[in-house]
Amino acid sequence: MAADMLVVQELNKTFSTPSGTVIALDRIGLQVKQGELITIIGPSGCGKSTLLKIVAGLDTDYEGSVRLNGKQIDGPSIEKGFIFQEPRLFPWLTVEKNIAGNLSLKKPDIREKVTELIELVRLTGFEKAYPRELSGGMAQRVAIARALLRNPDVLLLDEPFGALDAFTRSHMQEVLLDIWQKNRTTMLFVTHDLDEAVFLGNRVVMMNPRPGHIRKVLTIDLPYPRKRASQSFQELRHHVLKEFEKVEEPAIDHGAGI
Amino acid sequence: MQAGTEGALAPLTAGKGSRGQKRRRLSIRSMNVLLGWLLPVALLAVWQGAGMMGMLNATLLPTPGVIVEEFVSLTASGELLRHLEVSTWRALLGFLLGGGLGLAAGLWVGFSYKIERLLDPSLQMLRTLPHLAVAPLFILWFGFDETSKILLIAKGAFFPLYVNTFLGIRSVDGKLFDVARVLQFNRWQLITKLILPASLPNILLGLRLSIGVAWLGLVVAEMMGSSEGIGFLINDARYLSITSLVFVGIILFALIGKLTDSLVKLLERRLLRWQEGYQGGDNR
């Protein structure tokens, strides 16, 4: 069994607001092994995106221990690839130059890897296209290729397919699984889509809000490719849904923030 | 009706466009160009007609024909070219000096909040000073020779580039900064790969405005006192009541202004190919 690559222990995060302190994350603990694909799901306000931003190093104002390969995370770095909700491409650069970013396409090894990645994310033929010429799904695939070019130890995805239509989304999920199976990149995938969480994850981390806390971690033992219509998939989905309902209720009982 | 539906469907049915369609698109484009000429040509025709019928005072409003004659004879004698050369040189130097400094100051102020607090209030105050108000001072300080003229032009050209460069840098999408952080751009890459390209549309707009203002400043500078240049030509003709010559000067300014503007627009189209913009709803 591989060792834990990413270890989160006793992670607390609070926000100061004019009406007082809000606990965004409450004693989060999570171990992720090399090559795992973890999905994190929960209602809005459960702190799942905050957790991801902390792991990315985009938010360093936290208490507790967040270690990648044994090193405390204190800022962004290329070891932690990040896919935002929107593609966030540079509009003045072509697809290939967007992927290269601050790396030079004139270097043969970079050029070769960019070509490979364009093929991997199925964008061959669009190397010279500008972002405005791409659909939402294509643009997001460019963003994924951009992150992968840096060989990240862990790829963090913050609801990356949330803005896409259902067909594009399921296509993107397959593309992502394809990438994961070929590269075995460790991934942390935040979503609010139950199907997506079960379809993609080796494990599904369920969080509840106010304060943001991990309620349950569910191992999904189904082999890939998973069939959404299969009975076992539906059972697991139902299981998560039921947990979800249990998560929702206490929040309503407390009447907090609704 | 028939043609309208066909036109609307055409892009769907044929991606690359058949030959017939291409020809039609071409003719639509030339139609749009003709549309731009419609008003000036009609105006000229009416003007010429009215002049020839003796409805206009030839001293106040010479006909287009007379103006063209003046233009031709002035060009033939080489006089026009000499004045044009002097004026272009002045405008160019003034623009390079003022625009260059404006760009530099815009970048400097744009990159630092502290510098902004230090410089921007004073610069904004100077910006509102009209050419005509400071011209006497410039003459007093630098005399009637080239320095005062070039500095006056530079003063005008400075501000559009300064303001727009500054604005461009400050309006870079903050979300892209997060991307740059994740990809670990260093400071130099942040400037050259994110901030400058993102503010390029604004910088180019500043460039266009600066060139325009440089020509405006030139007229003021040359009318203030000069023995050469298009501005002098206009002023001199006014004293001698050669109205057709005044018109030649004005038209020359208009042509040069349009020409330089088109050049910058061409530059824009090349550099800002990545941008999508609203072209007007009936641009077909």
Side-chain angles (χ1 to χ4, degrees):
Chain A
M1 203 79 221
D4 291 332
M5 150 183 265
L6 175 73
V7 181
V8 180
Q9 277 172 323
E10 289 290 309
L11 169 63
N12 292 298
K13 161 88 188 169
T14 52
F15 285 116
S16 294
T17 65
S19 53
T21 318
V22 175
I23 301 171
L25 294 172
D26 178 32
R27 284 169 291 127
I28 300 287
L30 184 66
Q31 283 88 37
V32 181
K33 287 183 180 35
Q34 160 73 42
E36 264 194 303
L37 202 174
I38 307 280
T39 50
I40 303 173
I41 188 168
S44 58
C46 73
K48 55 191 192 298
S49 285
T50 308
L51 172 62
L52 208 66
K53 289 224 160 73
I54 289 174
V55 175
L58 286 171
D59 185 346
T60 50
D61 180 27
Y62 62 88
E63 290 163 36
S65 157
V66 185
R67 290 173 177 276
L68 182 68
N69 295 322
K71 230 183 90 219
Q72 182 81 10
I73 288 170
D74 55 3
S77 71
I78 45 175
E79 286 100 68
K80 298 154 311 217
F82 200 95
I83 307 291
F84 296 91
Q85 208 164 345
E86 329 83 46
R88 300 198 187 181
L89 304 179
F90 298 116
W92 50 86
L93 297 181
T94 58
V95 164
E96 54 182 12
K97 286 185 178 157
N98 255 296
I99 295 173
N102 53 346
L103 306 174
S104 172
L105 276 171
K106 291 195 186 89
K107 289 185 186 155
D109 55 324
I110 303 282
R111 159 66 66 187
E112 193 182 331
K113 260 205 93 181
V114 167
T115 309
E116 263 171 42
L117 281 168
I118 286 176
E119 200 173 320
L120 186 68
V121 297
R122 305 177 195 179
L123 280 172
T124 309
F126 288 93
E127 292 86 350
K128 309 272 185 227
Y130 284 99
R132 69 176 158 90
E133 299 167 291
L134 305 177
S135 69
M138 290 161 89
Q140 198 57 287
R141 278 181 275 156
V142 176
I144 292 172
R146 174 169 69 184
L148 289 176
L149 178 66
R150 274 91 189 156
N151 269 330
D153 290 335
V154 57
L155 187 62
L156 308 163
L157 303 102
D158 188 8
E159 301 188 24
F161 310 147
L164 305 175
D165 65 84
F167 289 106
T168 314
R169 188 184 311 169
S170 76
H171 172 69
M172 291 293 286
Q173 289 162 1
E174 276 156 31
V175 172
L176 190 78
L177 274 181
D178 189 39
I179 292 168
W180 177 70
Q181 280 168 331
K182 279 182 186 145
N183 291 13
R184 287 290 155 177
T185 310
T186 312
M187 296 190 193
L188 241 60
F189 188 110
V190 162
T191 177
H192 56 242
D193 181 332
L194 231 138
D195 264 322
E196 192 166 64
V198 177
F199 185 75
L200 293 176
N202 303 151
R203 286 191 284 157
V204 177
V205 174
M206 302 181 60
M207 294 182 68
N208 45 337
R210 299 177 205 91
H213 190 70
I214 293 179
R215 182 191 174 90
K216 191 167 180 175
V217 179
L218 208 90
T219 304
I220 310 282
D221 259 337
L222 299 177
Y224 298 94
R226 292 171 179 166
K227 299 260 179 294
R228 285 191 177 81
S230 73
Q231 199 180 345
S232 44
F233 186 94
Q234 284 303 324
E235 271 168 16
L236 270 163
R237 186 187 177 284
H238 192 68
H239 186 78
V240 176
L241 186 63
K242 259 170 63 187
E243 281 293 333
F244 224 143
E245 277 164 356
K246 274 192 263 171
V247 171
E248 288 280 295
E249 274 162 29
I252 293 164
D253 283 347
H254 296 308
I258 293 177
Chain B
M1 183 69 215
Q2 181 72 38
T5 351
E6 215 176 294
L9 283 174
L12 286 175
T13 49
K16 295 269 181 221
S18 63
R19 187 177 292 177
Q21 201 187 335
K22 211 178 254 173
R23 195 180 303 148
R24 189 162 72 202
R25 217 177 268 157
L26 206 71
S27 75
I28 288 173
R29 188 172 300 163
S30 43
M31 271 276 286
N32 280 339
V33 172
L34 285 180
L35 207 61
W37 283 102
L38 189 65
L39 219 56
V41 168
L43 187 75
L44 282 178
V46 171
W47 182 358
Q48 180 75 28
M52 273 158 55
M53 285 188 290
M55 289 162 73
L56 303 173
N57 179 339
T59 320
L60 293 182
L61 202 58
T63 60
V66 175
I67 296 171
V68 169
E69 264 171 46
E70 185 79 53
F71 187 87
V72 171
S73 77
L74 223 60
T75 313
S77 71
E79 204 180 340
L80 199 67
L81 200 70
R82 186 169 59 83
H83 288 300
L84 190 62
E85 214 180 295
V86 172
S87 287
T88 308
W89 190 239
R90 282 176 184 149
L92 187 72
L93 280 182
F95 162 73
L96 286 180
L97 181 67
L101 284 175
L103 181 67
L107 292 173
W108 200 32
V109 171
F111 282 132
S112 157
Y113 181 75
K114 284 224 172 70
I115 302 292
E116 180 197 341
R117 296 262 53 95
L118 177 74
L119 286 183
D120 192 58
S122 312
L123 287 175
Q124 293 301 339
M125 205 154 66
L126 289 177
R127 187 169 68 88
T128 55
L129 294 179
H131 279 321
L132 284 172
V134 294
L137 260 188
F138 275 41
I139 292 172
L140 216 58
W141 290 342
F142 308 106
F144 270 108
D145 65 354
E146 295 301 298
T147 318
S148 63
K149 294 186 182 62
I150 287 168
L151 284 179
L152 197 68
I153 296 165
K155 173 209 156 275
F158 176 88
F159 291 102
L161 255 168
Y162 166 73
V163 169
N164 283 288
T165 303
F166 175 39
L167 187 75
I169 289 175
R170 288 301 169 88
S171 52
V172 178
D173 187 356
K175 288 179 170 180
L176 291 180
F177 275 102
D178 273 348
V179 175
R181 279 180 72 199
V182 170
L183 299 181
Q184 290 203 295
F185 280 27
N186 59 35
R187 203 171 158 72
W188 175 246
Q189 288 167 338
L190 198 67
I191 293 170
T192 56
K193 302 222 174 235
L194 172 58
I195 298 174
L196 284 185
S199 40
L200 198 60
N202 277 301
I203 294 177
L204 285 174
L205 174 66
L207 185 73
R208 253 172 93 183
L209 295 174
S210 266
I211 291 176
V213 172
W215 284 111
L216 291 181
L218 178 78
V219 186
V220 175
E222 289 186 339
M223 285 181 139
M224 253 163 33
S226 172
S227 52
E228 306 169 284
I230 307 293
F232 158 76
L233 203 68
I234 294 175
N235 220 23
D236 199 39
R238 184 172 62 91
Y239 279 127
L240 303 172
S241 291
I242 315 172
T243 319
S244 56
L245 196 53
V246 175
F247 270 103
V248 169
I250 291 173
I251 291 167
L252 213 56
F253 269 125
L255 287 178
I256 294 166
K258 176 71 185 141
L259 185 75
T260 44
D261 199 58
S262 300
L263 283 177
V264 182
K265 255 176 140 169
L266 202 72
L267 193 70
E268 266 182 12
R269 210 172 300 160
R270 283 200 67 102
L271 291 175
L272 303 181
R273 239 177 327 175
W274 51 273
Q275 236 185 6
E276 54 192 329
Y278 181 61
Q279 307 260 310
D282 53 356
N283 176 36
R284 302 211 57 187

